[in-house]
Amino acid sequence: MTEDQGSPVDQPENAPATLDPEVHAVGTREGMFGVRGTGDTSGYGGLVQPVVFPGHASRPFEGWHEDVAAALDAALAGSGVEGALTGTVIHRGEITFHVRREDLPTVARHLRDDPALRFELCVGVNGVNYPEDTGAELHAVYHLLSMTHNRRVRLEVTCPDSDPHIPSIVATYPTNDWHERETFDMFGIVFDGHPALTRILMPDDWPGHPQRKDYPLGGIPVEYKGGTVPPPDQRRSYN
């Protein structure tokens, strides 16, 4: 991209193609994995790039995105959770509804059960850690599929480091059982109401949550059945 095209040459790759006043950076990514103070052996340790969120879209949306948004508004009207949707992002042809965390179970049930929506399947939930997104350091992103209407949407919910709790939606989407356990294991998000929220990948007594940005990337002693992996600066040199 050049200045002749009317956009700044330092615009990050993850910024939306169409600039919007609401677009904002929530931090800076350093290195390949965004961690600091540990040995980044990826070869991208010097990478510095802003972490950019696309802005919220304005109604009316185009095509079926507006159909889904209107149907969801109608379903939530009078349900006692007015204001559950805090914003909607349409980026790269995909729609994401930002949901207030305490209203997530109600929104999920309407998305599954309303005939105009019928998102029968939750494909899973992923965690994301933005340490510099103050008050919303942990994000949970749900991927929903409507087999009836052949549509996909996302729900995004945030919670702070100081209170990492989000209601479970396993009662509505049983397929989310192990996905919530994995997100708890890797990011430390506690899904309240989950029937058995235990670690699924790491041992029960494992300290920390390995996919958080404050977790060491490497260079720490790790033991498996008597074997020890030393830090990089203590390993054998083959030069």
Side-chain angles (χ1 to χ4, degrees), residues 198-216:
T198 57
R199 289 187 183 269
I200 193 170
L201 297 174
M202 309 305 289
D204 288 342
D205 59 350
W206 191 267
H209 303 280
Q211 288 189 345
R212 289 173 58 111
K213 292 297 192 298
D214 57 1
Y215 193 86

Side-chain angles (χ1 to χ4, degrees), residues 10-25:
D10 59 348
Q11 180 183 335
E13 292 180 358
N14 59 335
T18 302
L19 294 179
D20 186 292
E22 295 298 323
V23 172
H24 61 286

Side-chain angles (χ1 to χ4, degrees), residues 125-127 176-189 191 194 197-201 209-211:
V125 57
N126 301 108
N176 232 36
D177 187 340
W178 284 15
H179 294 277
E180 289 185 3
R181 287 179 59 194
E182 182 177 4
T183 304
F184 162 69
D185 196 353
M186 294 291 104
F187 291 91
I189 298 176
F191 293 94
H194 188 284
L197 192 64
T198 57
R199 289 187 183 269
I200 193 170
L201 297 174
H209 303 280
Q211 288 189 345

Side-chain angles (χ1 to χ4, degrees), residues 59 68-88 97-100 102-114 116-117 155:
R59 303 285 293 272
V68 170
L72 184 55
D73 284 344
L76 295 177
S79 65
V81 295
E82 290 80 0
L85 303 182
T86 60
T88 305
F97 295 103
H98 289 253
V99 181
R100 200 164 50 195
E102 59 266 30
D103 298 325
L104 175 63
T106 301
V107 173
R109 282 196 301 273
H110 283 294
L111 283 164
R112 184 194 65 181
D113 296 341
D114 190 280
L117 297 167
L155 305 180

Side-chain angles (χ1 to χ4, degrees), residues 131-212:
E132 295 170 292
D133 189 10
T134 305
E137 293 86 358
L138 296 170
H139 293 221
V141 184
Y142 301 81
H143 308 267
L144 306 183
L145 168 65
S146 170
M147 292 175 282
T148 298
H149 302 293
N150 191 24
R151 296 167 175 169
R152 293 176 183 268
V153 300
R154 278 193 296 263
L155 305 180
E156 187 163 345
V157 184
T158 67
C159 61
D161 265 342
S162 58
D163 182 27
H165 290 263
I166 292 175
S168 171
I169 59 171
V170 169
T172 301
Y173 293 111
T175 53
N176 232 36
D177 187 340
W178 284 15
H179 294 277
E180 289 185 3
R181 287 179 59 194
E182 182 177 4
T183 304
F184 162 69
D185 196 353
M186 294 291 104
F187 291 91
I189 298 176
V190 179
F191 293 94
D192 296 322
H194 188 284
L197 192 64
T198 57
R199 289 187 183 269
I200 193 170
L201 297 174
M202 309 305 289
D204 288 342
D205 59 350
W206 191 267
H209 303 280
Q211 288 189 345
R212 289 173 58 111

Side-chain angles (χ1 to χ4, degrees), residues 36-56:
R36 301 183 178 90
T38 58
D40 187 342
T41 59
S42 67
Y44 290 87
L47 177 68
V48 178
Q49 188 178 44
V51 178
V52 176
F53 284 177
H56 291 173

